[in-house]
Amino acid sequence: NTLLILDLSNSVLENSLDELKSASTSFINNVMPSPETDSFKMGIYWFDGEDELHLLNHLTSSSAELVNAISSITADISNDPSTDLYGAVIKATEQAEELIQTNNQQNVIGAASVVLFTDGTDQASRYTEESALEAVTEADRNISFFTIGLGAEIDTEVLMEIGRTASVFAGN
């Protein structure tokens, strides 16, 4: 199970929505197996400044469904100009933990990945950096964390700590 977490804060929606959609679509097309298999699923969530991780698409093994969900994102999807990066990390970790627990209850060996695309830093100040890093550090070892930083306003050090498995950064 992979949870794709997209930063849809005001800075992304105004400045780099097309780039985010393109990068997300490319990620889906490169990661999702073809032909589809029920043993590999991806869900898409997004965050802005609200204290909520918004569901864009449930877990699915369909690349086409995921790409369509990405295509459906418009600049008016969010009204909140802020960025709750740390809250998104904490909530995504909780979602991944629940997926692992569900698999364990069904006697299924499973793993989860959290893949976070962002163009900035936490602006909402709802949660602390320490709380977000603690969630990642204490998460089940069967959860991988990846961060993809886009643009010039990212804090690479923090994103590298959140992306304990791997992090990549693109200036544009």
Side-chain angles (χ1 to χ4, degrees):
N1 296 307
T2 298
L3 302 177
L4 181 58
I5 313 298
L6 304 177
D7 177 347
L8 293 181
S9 61
N10 194 50
S11 58
V12 172
L13 295 176
E14 285 188 355
N15 303 316
S16 53
L17 180 58
D18 290 338
E19 291 85 352
L20 178 73
K21 289 168 77 169
S22 175
S24 300
T25 299
S26 177
F27 176 79
I28 291 165
N29 290 332
N30 283 296
V31 170
M32 292 297 287
S34 181
E36 295 173 6
T37 172
D38 280 341
S39 63
F40 195 99
K41 295 182 180 179
M42 185 182 296
I44 305 172
Y45 292 83
W46 63 273
F47 67 96
D48 53 11
E50 291 183 291
D51 192 9
E52 183 176 350
L53 190 60
H54 303 272
L55 177 67
L56 184 66
N57 203 93
H58 289 283
L59 283 173
T60 181
S61 56
S62 170
S63 296
E65 183 179 331
L66 294 166
V67 169
N68 286 338
I70 295 294
S71 297
S72 75
I73 299 171
T74 59
D76 62 356
I77 193 168
S78 168
N79 298 329
D80 192 314
S82 191
T83 307
D84 188 22
L85 175 62
Y86 300 145
V89 169
I90 293 166
K91 291 173 182 69
T93 302
E94 291 168 355
Q95 290 283 339
E97 294 270 5
E98 287 177 21
L99 291 171
I100 297 284
Q101 288 175 354
T102 300
N103 284 337
N104 289 343
Q105 290 168 355
Q106 298 171 352
N107 293 319
V108 173
I109 297 172
S113 298
V114 173
V115 180
L116 179 82
F117 278 76
T118 185
D119 79 330
T121 56
D122 187 275
Q123 302 294 319
S125 299
R126 291 188 203 293
Y127 301 91
T128 64
E129 176 183 331
E130 292 77 24
S131 296
L133 295 177
E134 183 179 312
V136 170
T137 302
E138 294 182 2
D140 188 296
R141 287 289 158 197
N142 289 317
I143 302 173
S144 300
F145 289 87
F146 301 89
T147 53
I148 301 165
L150 308 169
E153 294 185 21
I154 56 175
D155 183 334
T156 56
E157 186 177 313
V158 170
L159 291 180
M160 287 175 68
E161 288 185 68
I162 293 169
R164 72 177 185 198
T165 308
S167 299
V168 293
F169 309 105
N172 57 40

